[in-house]
Amino acid sequence: MAEQLPRLEMTNIVKEFPGVKALSDVQLRLYPGEVHALMGENGAGKSTLIKVLTGVYPIDQGTVTLEGNPVHISSPLKAQEHGITTVYQEVNLCSNLSVTENIFIGREIKKYGRLAWKEMHQRAEKLLERLQLKIDVTKLLSSYSVAIQQMVAIARALNVSAKILILDEPTSSLDRDEVQQLFAVMRQLKKDGLAIVFVSHFLDQIFEITDRLTVLRNGEWIGEYKTAEISRMDLVSKMIGKELEEMEAISSKNTGNTTESTQSFLQADEVGLKGKVEPFDLEMRKGEIVGLAGLLGSGRTEMARVLFGADKKDKGKIKVNGKEAHFSSPRNAILYKIGFCSENRKTEGIIPELTVRENMILAIQSVYGWFRYLSKAKQMKIADEYIQLLNINPANPEQLIKNLSGGNQQKVMLARWLVTDPDLLILDEPTRGIDIGAKTEIMKLMTKLSKENKSILFISSEIEEILRTCDRIAVLRDRKKVKEFDNDGKLTQQDVMKEMAGGG
Amino acid sequence: MKAIIKSRLFWPILVLMLILLINLFFDSSFFSMEIRNGRLTGSLIDILNRGAPLILISIGMTLVIATKGIDLSVGSVIAMSGAIGAMTVASADGTGLGPLLMAIGLSLLICTFVGGWNGLLVSRVGVQPIVATLILMVAGRGVAQLITGGQITTVYYDPYSFIGGGYLLALPFSIFIAAFVFLIAVLLTRKTALGLFIESVGSNPDASRLAGINSKNIMLMVYMFSGFCAGVGGLILSSNVMSADGNNAGLWFELDAILAVVIGGTSLMGGRFYLTGTVIGALIIQSLTTTIYSIGIPAETNLVVKALVVLIVCLLQSPEFRRKVFGFGKVKGAGEQKGKEGATLL
């Protein structure tokens, strides 16, 4: 393959923003028919590199050649003309339009000046068939799951005669089967000669699907490797640039310190909500981390929302510290010292127009009420403390949160709840879409909190993460709690997965 | 210099100054003030005095818009307030303050209450703000017409004229009312967490609820406050003319108020709000009206000229427009802005 002419070659790319060198001397080579992973932590420069490649930002220095010819990609439109298309992490489609409309928007097929709907529908169906998807293309996009919406986004990208397809964290909101479906599609496209850039934080997926990978760190080019020839540990240490002792310290199982605490903080008795989650029992003991495992749609988020009062339960009782508690709103739950970090950062987490500082103090301020306003000095102290603790970048409390990267926004959300010093913290996919360094930080933080006798309810799609950190694991399937395991050290991923999949 | 241009208040203030300077050009005594019968008089005072109702209403509107809402009913609430006030004192005479206090209390209470009705529809029932307040916009004017019987009711009770026409420390009393309400609004929103909560709810209501903010109560409150402000404005207007006119009082005020808020830099998409900007916006609109009359432009052109100036202010506030037309830091400015996004997207 190395003899072949690369489809794309970027050399000595430099991109500077005021005060920051986002990319210094970075290179990237893509060959036709390969899946190429772009690896690096948050802030390594992956997004910037992609934006440079797709013409969102102009480059300061360096050359880009397409199939040997130097090109100047000055705008996203130009990039599309060159056959470079991107599917972003957060699906950028219009959910109130039909599937066909989404695929053809901006380049509708016309006949005699009128829209040729029939042809567009047929073409859309064909495109989706190539992605092994058979759906009614006349229906609204919002009537389909996120996974299918993602496929539609890919179909839209393919509709432009694509040569290079960039998938920026396409798997972060997909479940296991859907990821496999996506991979099947990627393999097919690879066979068709497409060069695919794949960005993902899931190492398993990287090793499963990619051929080669380029590692970036702090805007610098670290190296290009064949996926088959690099070990996981090597890759991770190249990405974070330090040895892995720290990580291993955490990956040693947490089960040794199973606190034999019998004091329960929260007790859910036959709690349920019709159409969301079947009645379940759950006990959260002090100093305990409980994992919720289950596929997407298994009811794990719904369970968390009911426990937090975000959705009102219609069955059962919740006891806090032995006394019955009535949650009718998140506010009540917060007053009972419960915190909930939602998985939908964008819609249920951040307040985009407010600063990092304001986002951080929001929950604690709502506990204090509107009259007892935290002094500016106190707010700054809180913000500075947590920016440092969680290593939030940029370290500017007055930055609007919408300008932060996803990982850093997540950290601010975490800070918002840590500030309230909750006795029970519900974390719904806190590690999704963030880099290994930050993941490690969050895991460490969880362990620390549990040592301080706080309880944590941890929801994650990564069973490995759950096994590593949790004392007990509850498994949900089809909106029902089906099993509860003690993580005694003998429990394996297979055991948990079997329960998640069911029927076995 | 750059920091000054970037300040949200720069362009509105500049336009306000320009309008005043144009006045000075046509009338060299425009800025002069003198004390006549213990009252400070002059065009500037006049603008402040006449602008007081609009300032009041715009302040209420600002908070509503900050929650991503809008209040179309303020004009009708003005009519209601005036009608209630005037009818309460209609049969009173003499100089006793009883009827006056009664009129103020009754009309403010009812206006706050109908504002709360808007708030309930929006926050509890989930009606869209534009629809909910449209209902009151229609109903409110109807109620005002019912109260006044469709006639212009004249008031012969002297103390009533003090609200809009009285003087305190040589200044019109209405200026004090506007300043007082402005001060209260600023203190409540900036010295307590209320402002933060309003901006939070306006920017992302779902996330605010999950952070423990009682979004519904916040919304209810801003609509009540808007109703209250419209009530005060209505009393001033009715007291100015010593009558109640259910048909015409407060007509189109909601549009002027929305314009004032937008000129002041608050986005209709909710989130951040700027009370000082709103006051300047209201003053721009008021001084425009005064200017048009004072420099002898036919009154019929009032609305057209007003629209033009508002358009200019809005365009000036758009960085995109400034860059295109004036080439303000053309390359550097563009790079900088992208840079800012980029640096933080890393």
Side-chain angles (χ1 to χ4, degrees), chain A residues 440-470:
Chain A
T440 317
E441 287 305 315
I442 290 178
M443 302 277 190
K444 262 201 248 169
L445 211 68
M446 283 168 53
T447 319
K448 188 175 145 247
L449 285 174
S450 78
K451 288 212 174 98
E452 289 167 10
N453 228 14
K454 317 274 185 196
S455 3
I456 293 171
L457 186 63
F458 177 50
I459 305 178
S460 173
S461 299
E462 293 186 58
I463 306 166
E464 195 204 336
E465 261 180 24
I466 290 187
L467 278 172
R468 221 158 57 195
T469 46
C470 295

PDB file of all heavy atoms in Angstrom, chain A residues 440-470:
ATOM      1  N   THR A 440      -9.802   9.069  33.030  1.00  0.00           N
ATOM      2  CA  THR A 440      -9.064   8.621  34.207  1.00  0.00           C
ATOM      3  C   THR A 440      -9.335   9.542  35.381  1.00  0.00           C
ATOM      4  O   THR A 440      -9.565   9.089  36.501  1.00  0.00           O
ATOM      5  CB  THR A 440      -7.554   8.603  33.890  1.00  0.00           C
ATOM      6  OG1 THR A 440      -7.395   8.047  32.609  1.00  0.00           O
ATOM      7  CG2 THR A 440      -6.797   7.811  34.906  1.00  0.00           C
ATOM      8  N   GLU A 441      -9.342  10.854  35.088  1.00  0.00           N
ATOM      9  CA  GLU A 441      -9.607  11.822  36.149  1.00  0.00           C
ATOM     10  C   GLU A 441     -10.977  11.571  36.773  1.00  0.00           C
ATOM     11  O   GLU A 441     -11.134  11.578  37.993  1.00  0.00           O
ATOM     12  CB  GLU A 441      -9.588  13.247  35.583  1.00  0.00           C
ATOM     13  CG  GLU A 441      -8.221  13.786  35.227  1.00  0.00           C
ATOM     14  CD  GLU A 441      -7.264  13.712  36.386  1.00  0.00           C
ATOM     15  OE1 GLU A 441      -7.664  14.077  37.507  1.00  0.00           O
ATOM     16  OE2 GLU A 441      -6.117  13.266  36.175  1.00  0.00           O
ATOM     17  N   ILE A 442     -11.952  11.335  35.903  1.00  0.00           N
ATOM     18  CA  ILE A 442     -13.314  11.160  36.412  1.00  0.00           C
ATOM     19  C   ILE A 442     -13.425   9.891  37.250  1.00  0.00           C
ATOM     20  O   ILE A 442     -14.027   9.883  38.324  1.00  0.00           O
ATOM     21  CB  ILE A 442     -14.317  11.147  35.237  1.00  0.00           C
ATOM     22  CG1 ILE A 442     -14.396  12.552  34.648  1.00  0.00           C
ATOM     23  CG2 ILE A 442     -15.681  10.682  35.691  1.00  0.00           C
ATOM     24  CD1 ILE A 442     -15.290  12.680  33.458  1.00  0.00           C
ATOM     25  N   MET A 443     -12.784   8.828  36.780  1.00  0.00           N
ATOM     26  CA  MET A 443     -12.790   7.574  37.545  1.00  0.00           C
ATOM     27  C   MET A 443     -12.153   7.778  38.913  1.00  0.00           C
ATOM     28  O   MET A 443     -12.643   7.297  39.926  1.00  0.00           O
ATOM     29  CB  MET A 443     -11.985   6.505  36.812  1.00  0.00           C
ATOM     30  CG  MET A 443     -12.499   6.235  35.440  1.00  0.00           C
ATOM     31  SD  MET A 443     -13.851   5.101  35.553  1.00  0.00           S
ATOM     32  CE  MET A 443     -14.050   4.740  33.870  1.00  0.00           C
ATOM     33  N   LYS A 444     -11.041   8.494  38.909  1.00  0.00           N
ATOM     34  CA  LYS A 444     -10.339   8.729  40.168  1.00  0.00           C
ATOM     35  C   LYS A 444     -11.236   9.496  41.121  1.00  0.00           C
ATOM     36  O   LYS A 444     -11.316   9.196  42.312  1.00  0.00           O
ATOM     37  CB  LYS A 444      -9.070   9.564  39.889  1.00  0.00           C
ATOM     38  CG  LYS A 444      -7.815   8.735  39.773  1.00  0.00           C
ATOM     39  CD  LYS A 444      -6.606   9.620  40.013  1.00  0.00           C
ATOM     40  CE  LYS A 444      -5.821   9.781  38.751  1.00  0.00           C
ATOM     41  NZ  LYS A 444      -4.790  10.772  38.735  1.00  0.00           N
ATOM     42  N   LEU A 445     -11.900  10.501  40.542  1.00  0.00           N
ATOM     43  CA  LEU A 445     -12.782  11.334  41.328  1.00  0.00           C
ATOM     44  C   LEU A 445     -13.897  10.507  41.960  1.00  0.00           C
ATOM     45  O   LEU A 445     -14.252  10.679  43.120  1.00  0.00           O
ATOM     46  CB  LEU A 445     -13.390  12.376  40.398  1.00  0.00           C
ATOM     47  CG  LEU A 445     -13.722  13.705  41.001  1.00  0.00           C
ATOM     48  CD1 LEU A 445     -12.456  14.423  41.382  1.00  0.00           C
ATOM     49  CD2 LEU A 445     -14.497  14.526  39.980  1.00  0.00           C
ATOM     50  N   MET A 446     -14.428   9.564  41.162  1.00  0.00           N
ATOM     51  CA  MET A 446     -15.503   8.711  41.670  1.00  0.00           C
ATOM     52  C   MET A 446     -15.014   7.893  42.855  1.00  0.00           C
ATOM     53  O   MET A 446     -15.697   7.780  43.881  1.00  0.00           O
ATOM     54  CB  MET A 446     -16.015   7.792  40.554  1.00  0.00           C
ATOM     55  CG  MET A 446     -16.922   8.517  39.569  1.00  0.00           C
ATOM     56  SD  MET A 446     -17.268   7.586  38.070  1.00  0.00           S
ATOM     57  CE  MET A 446     -17.867   6.063  38.717  1.00  0.00           C
ATOM     58  N   THR A 447     -13.848   7.326  42.696  1.00  0.00           N
ATOM     59  CA  THR A 447     -13.292   6.528  43.787  1.00  0.00           C
ATOM     60  C   THR A 447     -13.104   7.385  45.027  1.00  0.00           C
ATOM     61  O   THR A 447     -13.409   6.976  46.145  1.00  0.00           O
ATOM     62  CB  THR A 447     -11.940   5.924  43.357  1.00  0.00           C
ATOM     63  OG1 THR A 447     -12.065   5.481  42.013  1.00  0.00           O
ATOM     64  CG2 THR A 447     -11.537   4.791  44.239  1.00  0.00           C
ATOM     65  N   LYS A 448     -12.624   8.599  44.810  1.00  0.00           N
ATOM     66  CA  LYS A 448     -12.379   9.489  45.928  1.00  0.00           C
ATOM     67  C   LYS A 448     -13.691   9.826  46.640  1.00  0.00           C
ATOM     68  O   LYS A 448     -13.776   9.794  47.873  1.00  0.00           O
ATOM     69  CB  LYS A 448     -11.706  10.769  45.410  1.00  0.00           C
ATOM     70  CG  LYS A 448     -11.224  11.691  46.485  1.00  0.00           C
ATOM     71  CD  LYS A 448     -10.454  12.866  45.908  1.00  0.00           C
ATOM     72  CE  LYS A 448     -10.701  14.113  46.721  1.00  0.00           C
ATOM     73  NZ  LYS A 448     -11.435  15.174  46.075  1.00  0.00           N
ATOM     74  N   LEU A 449     -14.703  10.128  45.858  1.00  0.00           N
ATOM     75  CA  LEU A 449     -15.996  10.470  46.449  1.00  0.00           C
ATOM     76  C   LEU A 449     -16.542   9.318  47.268  1.00  0.00           C
ATOM     77  O   LEU A 449     -17.083   9.502  48.357  1.00  0.00           O
ATOM     78  CB  LEU A 449     -16.995  10.841  45.354  1.00  0.00           C
ATOM     79  CG  LEU A 449     -16.803  12.203  44.711  1.00  0.00           C
ATOM     80  CD1 LEU A 449     -17.750  12.389  43.547  1.00  0.00           C
ATOM     81  CD2 LEU A 449     -17.027  13.307  45.728  1.00  0.00           C
ATOM     82  N   SER A 450     -16.379   8.097  46.740  1.00  0.00           N
ATOM     83  CA  SER A 450     -16.938   6.959  47.455  1.00  0.00           C
ATOM     84  C   SER A 450     -16.178   6.740  48.765  1.00  0.00           C
ATOM     85  O   SER A 450     -16.741   6.295  49.756  1.00  0.00           O
ATOM     86  CB  SER A 450     -16.905   5.708  46.589  1.00  0.00           C
ATOM     87  OG  SER A 450     -15.625   5.162  46.570  1.00  0.00           O
ATOM     88  N   LYS A 451     -14.921   7.094  48.777  1.00  0.00           N
ATOM     89  CA  LYS A 451     -14.165   6.992  50.035  1.00  0.00           C
ATOM     90  C   LYS A 451     -14.662   8.015  51.042  1.00  0.00           C
ATOM     91  O   LYS A 451     -14.544   7.829  52.246  1.00  0.00           O
ATOM     92  CB  LYS A 451     -12.679   7.221  49.761  1.00  0.00           C
ATOM     93  CG  LYS A 451     -12.058   6.041  49.030  1.00  0.00           C
ATOM     94  CD  LYS A 451     -10.593   5.848  49.410  1.00  0.00           C
ATOM     95  CE  LYS A 451     -10.068   4.583  48.769  1.00  0.00           C
ATOM     96  NZ  LYS A 451      -9.326   4.857  47.531  1.00  0.00           N
ATOM     97  N   GLU A 452     -15.203   9.119  50.535  1.00  0.00           N
ATOM     98  CA  GLU A 452     -15.752  10.132  51.440  1.00  0.00           C
ATOM     99  C   GLU A 452     -17.183   9.781  51.842  1.00  0.00           C
ATOM    100  O   GLU A 452     -17.952  10.645  52.273  1.00  0.00           O
ATOM    101  CB  GLU A 452     -15.737  11.509  50.756  1.00  0.00           C
ATOM    102  CG  GLU A 452     -14.353  12.088  50.594  1.00  0.00           C
ATOM    103  CD  GLU A 452     -14.320  13.280  49.644  1.00  0.00           C
ATOM    104  OE1 GLU A 452     -15.412  13.764  49.268  1.00  0.00           O
ATOM    105  OE2 GLU A 452     -13.213  13.701  49.284  1.00  0.00           O
ATOM    106  N   ASN A 453     -17.545   8.528  51.616  1.00  0.00           N
ATOM    107  CA  ASN A 453     -18.853   8.029  52.031  1.00  0.00           C
ATOM    108  C   ASN A 453     -20.017   8.551  51.203  1.00  0.00           C
ATOM    109  O   ASN A 453     -21.151   8.585  51.645  1.00  0.00           O
ATOM    110  CB  ASN A 453     -19.100   8.341  53.511  1.00  0.00           C
ATOM    111  CG  ASN A 453     -19.605   7.099  54.225  1.00  0.00           C
ATOM    112  OD1 ASN A 453     -19.508   5.998  53.678  1.00  0.00           O
ATOM    113  ND2 ASN A 453     -20.139   7.272  55.407  1.00  0.00           N
ATOM    114  N   LYS A 454     -19.733   9.014  49.999  1.00  0.00           N
ATOM    115  CA  LYS A 454     -20.804   9.425  49.095  1.00  0.00           C
ATOM    116  C   LYS A 454     -21.188   8.217  48.242  1.00  0.00           C
ATOM    117  O   LYS A 454     -20.361   7.348  47.985  1.00  0.00           O
ATOM    118  CB  LYS A 454     -20.335  10.529  48.151  1.00  0.00           C
ATOM    119  CG  LYS A 454     -19.515  11.581  48.829  1.00  0.00           C
ATOM    120  CD  LYS A 454     -20.409  12.616  49.427  1.00  0.00           C
ATOM    121  CE  LYS A 454     -19.579  13.751  50.010  1.00  0.00           C
ATOM    122  NZ  LYS A 454     -20.338  14.579  50.894  1.00  0.00           N
ATOM    123  N   SER A 455     -22.430   8.191  47.787  1.00  0.00           N
ATOM    124  CA  SER A 455     -22.785   7.121  46.859  1.00  0.00           C
ATOM    125  C   SER A 455     -22.836   7.658  45.440  1.00  0.00           C
ATOM    126  O   SER A 455     -23.138   8.827  45.220  1.00  0.00           O
ATOM    127  CB  SER A 455     -24.111   6.470  47.209  1.00  0.00           C
ATOM    128  OG  SER A 455     -24.718   7.083  48.293  1.00  0.00           O
ATOM    129  N   ILE A 456     -22.544   6.781  44.515  1.00  0.00           N
ATOM    130  CA  ILE A 456     -22.544   7.180  43.110  1.00  0.00           C
ATOM    131  C   ILE A 456     -23.315   6.147  42.303  1.00  0.00           C
ATOM    132  O   ILE A 456     -23.115   4.942  42.462  1.00  0.00           O
ATOM    133  CB  ILE A 456     -21.104   7.286  42.580  1.00  0.00           C
ATOM    134  CG1 ILE A 456     -20.386   8.451  43.258  1.00  0.00           C
ATOM    135  CG2 ILE A 456     -21.100   7.488  41.064  1.00  0.00           C
ATOM    136  CD1 ILE A 456     -18.927   8.501  42.980  1.00  0.00           C
ATOM    137  N   LEU A 457     -24.198   6.641  41.461  1.00  0.00           N
ATOM    138  CA  LEU A 457     -24.881   5.764  40.517  1.00  0.00           C
ATOM    139  C   LEU A 457     -24.274   6.060  39.148  1.00  0.00           C
ATOM    140  O   LEU A 457     -24.360   7.181  38.655  1.00  0.00           O
ATOM    141  CB  LEU A 457     -26.382   6.057  40.517  1.00  0.00           C
ATOM    142  CG  LEU A 457     -27.241   5.115  39.685  1.00  0.00           C
ATOM    143  CD1 LEU A 457     -27.159   3.704  40.211  1.00  0.00           C
ATOM    144  CD2 LEU A 457     -28.696   5.568  39.687  1.00  0.00           C
ATOM    145  N   PHE A 458     -23.641   5.055  38.585  1.00  0.00           N
ATOM    146  CA  PHE A 458     -22.817   5.277  37.410  1.00  0.00           C
ATOM    147  C   PHE A 458     -23.412   4.538  36.217  1.00  0.00           C
ATOM    148  O   PHE A 458     -23.535   3.323  36.228  1.00  0.00           O
ATOM    149  CB  PHE A 458     -21.398   4.781  37.713  1.00  0.00           C
ATOM    150  CG  PHE A 458     -20.441   4.879  36.572  1.00  0.00           C
ATOM    151  CD1 PHE A 458     -20.300   6.051  35.850  1.00  0.00           C
ATOM    152  CD2 PHE A 458     -19.644   3.794  36.220  1.00  0.00           C
ATOM    153  CE1 PHE A 458     -19.388   6.145  34.812  1.00  0.00           C
ATOM    154  CE2 PHE A 458     -18.742   3.872  35.176  1.00  0.00           C
ATOM    155  CZ  PHE A 458     -18.623   5.054  34.478  1.00  0.00           C
ATOM    156  N   ILE A 459     -23.806   5.297  35.198  1.00  0.00           N
ATOM    157  CA  ILE A 459     -24.368   4.692  33.990  1.00  0.00           C
ATOM    158  C   ILE A 459     -23.331   4.772  32.894  1.00  0.00           C
ATOM    159  O   ILE A 459     -22.764   5.842  32.658  1.00  0.00           O
ATOM    160  CB  ILE A 459     -25.636   5.439  33.543  1.00  0.00           C
ATOM    161  CG1 ILE A 459     -26.636   5.489  34.688  1.00  0.00           C
ATOM    162  CG2 ILE A 459     -26.222   4.801  32.308  1.00  0.00           C
ATOM    163  CD1 ILE A 459     -27.881   6.248  34.367  1.00  0.00           C
ATOM    164  N   SER A 460     -23.060   3.648  32.262  1.00  0.00           N
ATOM    165  CA  SER A 460     -22.077   3.695  31.188  1.00  0.00           C
ATOM    166  C   SER A 460     -22.348   2.588  30.188  1.00  0.00           C
ATOM    167  O   SER A 460     -22.869   1.531  30.520  1.00  0.00           O
ATOM    168  CB  SER A 460     -20.669   3.538  31.764  1.00  0.00           C
ATOM    169  OG  SER A 460     -19.748   3.431  30.713  1.00  0.00           O
ATOM    170  N   SER A 461     -22.007   2.872  28.934  1.00  0.00           N
ATOM    171  CA  SER A 461     -22.124   1.837  27.905  1.00  0.00           C
ATOM    172  C   SER A 461     -20.904   0.947  27.921  1.00  0.00           C
ATOM    173  O   SER A 461     -20.896  -0.103  27.305  1.00  0.00           O
ATOM    174  CB  SER A 461     -22.232   2.477  26.524  1.00  0.00           C
ATOM    175  OG  SER A 461     -23.351   3.279  26.461  1.00  0.00           O
ATOM    176  N   GLU A 462     -19.856   1.397  28.587  1.00  0.00           N
ATOM    177  CA  GLU A 462     -18.635   0.610  28.586  1.00  0.00           C
ATOM    178  C   GLU A 462     -18.598  -0.275  29.824  1.00  0.00           C
ATOM    179  O   GLU A 462     -18.327   0.178  30.923  1.00  0.00           O
ATOM    180  CB  GLU A 462     -17.417   1.534  28.525  1.00  0.00           C
ATOM    181  CG  GLU A 462     -17.364   2.240  27.197  1.00  0.00           C
ATOM    182  CD  GLU A 462     -16.094   3.051  27.029  1.00  0.00           C
ATOM    183  OE1 GLU A 462     -15.006   2.464  27.118  1.00  0.00           O
ATOM    184  OE2 GLU A 462     -16.202   4.264  26.827  1.00  0.00           O
ATOM    185  N   ILE A 463     -18.887  -1.538  29.601  1.00  0.00           N
ATOM    186  CA  ILE A 463     -18.981  -2.480  30.715  1.00  0.00           C
ATOM    187  C   ILE A 463     -17.659  -2.556  31.455  1.00  0.00           C
ATOM    188  O   ILE A 463     -17.620  -2.680  32.674  1.00  0.00           O
ATOM    189  CB  ILE A 463     -19.361  -3.869  30.189  1.00  0.00           C
ATOM    190  CG1 ILE A 463     -20.630  -3.742  29.365  1.00  0.00           C
ATOM    191  CG2 ILE A 463     -19.562  -4.833  31.331  1.00  0.00           C
ATOM    192  CD1 ILE A 463     -20.907  -4.944  28.542  1.00  0.00           C
ATOM    193  N   GLU A 464     -16.599  -2.433  30.709  1.00  0.00           N
ATOM    194  CA  GLU A 464     -15.280  -2.505  31.313  1.00  0.00           C
ATOM    195  C   GLU A 464     -15.118  -1.420  32.373  1.00  0.00           C
ATOM    196  O   GLU A 464     -14.638  -1.677  33.476  1.00  0.00           O
ATOM    197  CB  GLU A 464     -14.249  -2.325  30.194  1.00  0.00           C
ATOM    198  CG  GLU A 464     -12.852  -2.709  30.564  1.00  0.00           C
ATOM    199  CD  GLU A 464     -11.866  -1.973  29.687  1.00  0.00           C
ATOM    200  OE1 GLU A 464     -12.247  -1.573  28.570  1.00  0.00           O
ATOM    201  OE2 GLU A 464     -10.735  -1.779  30.139  1.00  0.00           O
ATOM    202  N   GLU A 465     -15.586  -0.231  32.045  1.00  0.00           N
ATOM    203  CA  GLU A 465     -15.515   0.879  32.988  1.00  0.00           C
ATOM    204  C   GLU A 465     -16.305   0.573  34.244  1.00  0.00           C
ATOM    205  O   GLU A 465     -15.876   0.847  35.359  1.00  0.00           O
ATOM    206  CB  GLU A 465     -16.138   2.130  32.343  1.00  0.00           C
ATOM    207  CG  GLU A 465     -15.148   3.084  31.761  1.00  0.00           C
ATOM    208  CD  GLU A 465     -15.839   4.308  31.148  1.00  0.00           C
ATOM    209  OE1 GLU A 465     -16.975   4.657  31.531  1.00  0.00           O
ATOM    210  OE2 GLU A 465     -15.221   4.891  30.281  1.00  0.00           O
ATOM    211  N   ILE A 466     -17.485   0.003  34.029  1.00  0.00           N
ATOM    212  CA  ILE A 466     -18.348  -0.306  35.158  1.00  0.00           C
ATOM    213  C   ILE A 466     -17.702  -1.356  36.050  1.00  0.00           C
ATOM    214  O   ILE A 466     -17.637  -1.217  37.274  1.00  0.00           O
ATOM    215  CB  ILE A 466     -19.724  -0.786  34.656  1.00  0.00           C
ATOM    216  CG1 ILE A 466     -20.471   0.381  34.027  1.00  0.00           C
ATOM    217  CG2 ILE A 466     -20.530  -1.407  35.778  1.00  0.00           C
ATOM    218  CD1 ILE A 466     -21.898   0.063  33.649  1.00  0.00           C
ATOM    219  N   LEU A 467     -17.169  -2.395  35.418  1.00  0.00           N
ATOM    220  CA  LEU A 467     -16.542  -3.461  36.190  1.00  0.00           C
ATOM    221  C   LEU A 467     -15.366  -2.929  36.999  1.00  0.00           C
ATOM    222  O   LEU A 467     -15.071  -3.398  38.088  1.00  0.00           O
ATOM    223  CB  LEU A 467     -16.043  -4.551  35.244  1.00  0.00           C
ATOM    224  CG  LEU A 467     -17.099  -5.553  34.794  1.00  0.00           C
ATOM    225  CD1 LEU A 467     -16.539  -6.461  33.727  1.00  0.00           C
ATOM    226  CD2 LEU A 467     -17.581  -6.364  35.982  1.00  0.00           C
ATOM    227  N   ARG A 468     -14.689  -1.954  36.419  1.00  0.00           N
ATOM    228  CA  ARG A 468     -13.486  -1.456  37.060  1.00  0.00           C
ATOM    229  C   ARG A 468     -13.805  -0.618  38.279  1.00  0.00           C
ATOM    230  O   ARG A 468     -13.048  -0.568  39.227  1.00  0.00           O
ATOM    231  CB  ARG A 468     -12.732  -0.594  36.047  1.00  0.00           C
ATOM    232  CG  ARG A 468     -11.257  -0.803  36.083  1.00  0.00           C
ATOM    233  CD  ARG A 468     -10.645  -0.379  34.783  1.00  0.00           C
ATOM    234  NE  ARG A 468     -10.963   1.010  34.470  1.00  0.00           N
ATOM    235  CZ  ARG A 468     -10.795   1.543  33.276  1.00  0.00           C
ATOM    236  NH1 ARG A 468     -10.314   0.813  32.290  1.00  0.00           N
ATOM    237  NH2 ARG A 468     -11.082   2.787  33.045  1.00  0.00           N
ATOM    238  N   THR A 469     -14.938   0.085  38.256  1.00  0.00           N
ATOM    239  CA  THR A 469     -15.169   1.060  39.319  1.00  0.00           C
ATOM    240  C   THR A 469     -16.275   0.682  40.298  1.00  0.00           C
ATOM    241  O   THR A 469     -16.277   1.186  41.405  1.00  0.00           O
ATOM    242  CB  THR A 469     -15.562   2.422  38.710  1.00  0.00           C
ATOM    243  OG1 THR A 469     -16.532   2.181  37.703  1.00  0.00           O
ATOM    244  CG2 THR A 469     -14.371   3.120  38.108  1.00  0.00           C
ATOM    245  N   CYS A 470     -17.201  -0.177  39.887  1.00  0.00           N
ATOM    246  CA  CYS A 470     -18.410  -0.304  40.700  1.00  0.00           C
ATOM    247  C   CYS A 470     -18.353  -1.433  41.721  1.00  0.00           C
ATOM    248  O   CYS A 470     -17.720  -2.453  41.501  1.00  0.00           O
ATOM    249  CB  CYS A 470     -19.617  -0.512  39.795  1.00  0.00           C
ATOM    250  SG  CYS A 470     -19.927   0.909  38.770  1.00  0.00           S
TER     251      CYS A 470
END
